Amino acid sequence: MKTIRIKDKTFAVSIPEEEILKQVKRVAEEINRDLAGRNPLFLAVLNGSFIFAADLLREVTVPCEISFVKLASYEGVSSTGAIKEVIGLAADITGRAVVIVEDIVDSGLTMVHMLDTLAKHNPASIDVCSLLVKPGNLKVSLDIKYKCLEIPNDFIVGYGLDYDGWGRNTRDIYTVVEE
Ligand code: IMP
Ligand code: MG
């Protein structure tokens, strides 16, 4: 078993690069079919989606633009836990077919907040495109139109995703090994 050590934890390969890229290509083809003639604006959520966005966009063949946003945690009183504020929205999304490019949807709370924020700017449509989804952790009903892979609730790293800032630069995706 191919394992790596990141900080204090051991991780084993769970999704090889080849499988990731196959699913990324499949989703890009769905987008090419659905959004033909719509000139979509992809909004990639930093930092985790940077590798996914790069691979996805190179498989997208419809005319499109890409822009990047970041989520900043802020200390607010909220019934739903830690809410993150969308920062850096530089593009004008009014009237646009927006596709949010995210690394992983876990509880879904971040995505719901993101959708609420973006909806205030009156886009023509907003679709969610996530590399990974943990269906077992979803706490809200959320329509994730484009998803590459569904995974169990275990913590993963690699291909852009991090453990405490580390491990983003691997080609495969790794799952934490219980010791
Ligand atoms: P949510 O609001 O619970 O859906 O949070 C999603 C965010 O949590 C993602 O954008 C990731 O930054 C982070 N996250 C959730 N699960 C994992 C994981 O297994 N590995 C790394 N980051 C994760
Ligand atoms: Mg993320």
Side-chain angles (χ1 to χ4, degrees):
M1 189 166 55
K2 190 177 164 193
T3 62
I4 52 168
R5 189 97 185 140
I6 301 173
K7 295 187 80 175
D8 58 340
K9 294 193 192 314
T10 303
F11 293 82
V13 172
S14 54
I15 314 172
E17 177 184 30
E18 191 189 0
E19 175 63 13
I20 300 168
L21 295 179
K22 188 174 138 199
Q23 299 305 326
V24 169
K25 195 160 196 267
R26 174 184 58 77
V27 163
E29 282 162 8
E30 289 174 24
I31 289 171
N32 288 334
R33 184 194 61 213
D34 295 348
L35 296 177
R38 302 275 316 274
N39 301 324
L41 169 63
F42 292 89
L43 273 189
V45 185
L46 294 173
N47 298 324
S49 76
F50 77 112
I51 292 178
F52 173 44
D55 283 341
L56 180 78
L57 267 285
R58 284 178 292 178
E59 298 290 347
V60 167
T61 52
V62 296
C64 65
E65 290 179 286
I66 183 160
S67 191
F68 300 87
V69 290
K70 221 174 151 128
L71 297 168
S73 298
Y74 73 89
E75 307 298 318
V77 181
S78 156
S79 56
T80 53
I83 287 294
K84 293 169 177 174
E85 189 186 357
V86 182
I87 59 169
L89 183 62
D92 181 8
I93 67 168
T94 308
R96 299 295 302 270
V98 172
V99 180
I100 301 171
V101 180
E102 177 64 296
D103 54 356
I104 184 166
V105 174
D106 188 16
S107 69
L109 296 172
T110 306
M111 190 50 70
V112 163
H113 182 66
M114 179 100 178
L115 288 167
D116 289 348
T117 303
L118 296 181
K120 292 183 185 127
H121 296 258
N122 300 312
S125 60
I126 315 182
D127 293 319
V128 177
C129 177
S130 189
L131 172 70
L132 301 161
V133 181
K134 290 182 181 171
N137 263 0
L138 267 180
K139 291 188 172 55
V140 285
S141 86
L142 190 59
D143 178 22
I144 306 164
K145 188 162 184 186
Y146 304 107
K147 53 187 155 194
C148 297
L149 294 147
E150 291 192 343
I151 58 168
N153 290 348
D154 313 304
F155 189 78
I156 53 109
V157 291
Y159 193 74
L161 290 104
D162 70 304
Y163 168 45
D164 226 3
W166 297 86
R168 295 191 195 274
N169 56 314
T170 66
R171 291 180 173 270
D172 307 311
I173 287 173
Y174 291 75
T175 299
V176 70
V177 177
E178 295 305 334
E179 286 155 279

